[in-house]
Amino acid sequence: MTRYTLYSGLYRFFNGVVLLLLNWHIASAQGGGYDALAISTTLSFIPAVLVPPLIRFTPITGGARTTAAGLAGISLTLLVIASCWSQVQAVVALNFVLWIFFFYLESTWEVWFNDEASGLDGVALRKQSSLTMTVNQVALMVGPLFAPLFTRVVPAEWVLVVCAGLFAVVAALSLGSHRTAAATEQMSKEAGPESASGLGALYLLAFMLVWPILGTFNLMLPLQALAHGKSMLTVGILDMLLGIGMAVAGTFLHRLTKSLEMRWVLAGAAVAVAGAMAIWLLVPAFGAPQMVAIFALGCAFGSMRVILRAEAAENFTPRQVGAIVANANACSLLLLTAVLAGGRFFTSRIWLAPFALTLLLVLSFHAIRKAQSNRLVPTEVSE
């Protein structure tokens, strides 16, 4: 688990740098703006449809090795993006290719986590999920903060070249981890494919909300900053606050796994999101109130990701979790497209999207907990 935590943390750090550079460039460059960024964000989710068959039929076995393959793909794509940085349309098109590997990795990281977590009980799973999620969010929040600092020293395209090299290094290091949940995988193969159950469908719905939350947040933040005359550094700081909130939530849950009841976590997350929405709505000035709101959003979203990941690992096999995440990401394209299409008509209110979707995530996990309380035996889903 140590290697997984370290390598996934490095990945999130470089990911944070790359995503902010790309989104800011598309939003602020000549020929960019809301339409270009909305198209880029929508296109970035189309590759999610391609991931489920890739996960199911990939010849590479083991979460670590499949992750290394995805990291290598990101490295090569970033080099091509850097070579045509001045052409916004080309960057948008290549961003589509980049997100094929991003979504592929979202599933392979989960498979790798489940490989490492095989055999752990529920309490240990939640602790490991909290710990790894906290490390990932700290790395993800630091990345966007460093992005504007890097661009003050070297051009943005050269920052992408450096990130490409570092992604390649992480890919090479990931090949050193070969552990797979052999017993669990064998049991899964013997069981054969099964139809998705009601519980599996609820998990699918919950995971389907994760990327639209992040997607709408990454879209609305630079647009709101530009509308209020703010710089990329402001976006980096606000993005960092989301990561801080997620890291705080992960640390909190890690320490109170045994004593804290899940219903209180769900209630706290719902209150945090509602309070954040109220703050942003009542205080329109772009400043300290938005910082508080984003931190609260991070706390709520982070806590939901931690418990969702841990509960999925406890209820499903590694490949089943990979299948659920891949299918959920594919389905999230429709949701994100609808939100962004509607946002074109109320651009000034697009900030509401990540808050509202996070509230739906809380409600969906409440339904999961209710379904689990009525379940007597483990439920499986189709791979």
Side-chain angles (χ1 to χ4, degrees):
M1 190 65 78
T2 301
R3 283 185 177 183
Y4 170 85
T5 303
L6 175 61
Y7 300 158
S8 63
L10 290 172
Y11 165 74
R12 297 295 177 185
F13 173 80
F14 303 137
N15 205 6
V17 173
V18 168
L19 288 177
L20 179 55
L21 287 178
L22 291 176
N23 287 336
W24 184 263
H25 181 62
I26 294 172
S28 60
Q30 184 71 26
Y34 180 89
D35 290 339
L37 190 55
I39 291 171
S40 176
T41 303
T42 303
L43 287 176
S44 68
F45 274 71
I46 293 177
V49 180
L50 308 176
V51 172
L54 283 176
I55 292 295
R56 184 170 185 176
F57 298 111
T58 179
I60 307 173
T61 58
R65 291 178 175 177
T66 52
T67 298
L71 290 169
I74 287 180
S75 179
L76 294 174
T77 306
L78 286 179
L79 292 177
V80 180
I81 292 176
S83 68
C84 56
W85 184 247
S86 60
Q87 304 174 31
V88 176
Q89 291 78 10
V91 172
V92 171
L94 288 168
N95 190 47
F96 170 84
V97 179
L98 188 66
W99 277 87
I100 294 177
F101 298 108
F102 280 155
F103 276 113
Y104 179 76
L105 283 165
E106 285 305 305
S107 294
T108 63
W109 281 118
E110 293 301 322
V111 173
W112 189 356
F113 174 80
N114 280 263
D115 287 343
E116 297 290 333
S118 178
L120 298 179
D121 60 24
V123 173
L125 269 174
R126 283 187 286 275
K127 283 190 174 183
Q128 289 297 333
S129 179
S130 298
L131 177 62
T132 56
M133 193 67 72
T134 299
V135 171
N136 287 344
Q137 293 311 316
V138 169
L140 189 60
M141 76 183 181
V142 173
L145 185 62
F146 271 76
L149 301 179
F150 290 155
T151 55
R152 292 184 179 183
V153 180
V154 295
E157 54 267 41
W158 282 106
V159 176
L160 293 182
V161 171
V162 173
C163 287
L166 295 174
F167 273 121
V169 171
V170 177
L173 293 174
S174 298
L175 292 174
S177 179
H178 303 297
R179 177 177 177 179
T180 58
T184 307
E185 292 295 337
Q186 182 63 31
M187 180 181 64
S188 176
K189 291 177 182 178
E190 292 175 357
E194 299 180 7
S195 60
S197 66
L199 183 61
L202 289 174
Y203 273 99
L204 184 72
L205 173 62
F207 276 110
M208 186 180 74
L209 292 166
V210 171
W211 270 105
I213 292 171
L214 293 173
T216 53
F217 178 81
N218 289 331
L219 175 130
M220 75 88 173
L221 205 54
L223 292 175
Q224 290 287 301
L226 287 170
H228 290 84
K230 304 297 181 179
S231 67
M232 184 168 64
L233 181 60
T234 301
V235 178
I237 292 173
L238 291 173
D239 203 346
M240 179 188 69
L241 286 171
L242 181 78
I244 291 176
M246 296 176 73
V248 168
T251 303
F252 180 73
L253 292 175
H254 175 67
R255 293 183 177 276
L256 298 177
T257 298
K258 292 183 179 180
S259 59
L260 192 64
E261 292 187 15
M262 195 61 63
R263 61 191 179 97
W264 293 114
V265 177
L266 296 177
V271 170
V273 176
M277 292 175 67
I279 290 173
W280 200 305
L281 184 63
L282 296 176
V283 188
F286 200 76
Q290 279 65 40
M291 293 182 180
V292 175
I294 288 176
F295 174 78
L297 176 65
C299 289
F301 181 58
S303 62
M304 296 310 303
R305 288 199 72 183
V306 166
I307 59 178
L308 181 63
R309 185 193 210 188
E311 294 288 324
E314 187 175 1
N315 285 277
F316 304 104
T317 68
R319 288 191 66 86
Q320 285 174 334
V321 172
I324 290 174
V325 173
N327 287 317
N329 290 341
C331 294
S332 66
L333 170 64
L334 296 176
L335 176 60
L336 181 69
T337 302
V339 173
L340 295 184
R344 186 65 184 85
F345 300 101
F346 52 92
T347 308
S348 61
R349 297 294 184 186
I350 191 61
W351 62 266
L352 277 169
F355 295 93
L357 292 173
T358 303
L359 196 57
L360 286 176
L361 179 58
V362 176
L363 295 175
S364 67
F365 195 81
H366 175 74
I368 287 175
R369 296 295 295 179
K370 184 177 180 180
Q372 285 178 327
S373 66
N374 297 326
R375 186 170 63 94
L376 298 178
V377 295
T379 306
E380 298 183 348
V381 296
S382 173
E383 296 180 10

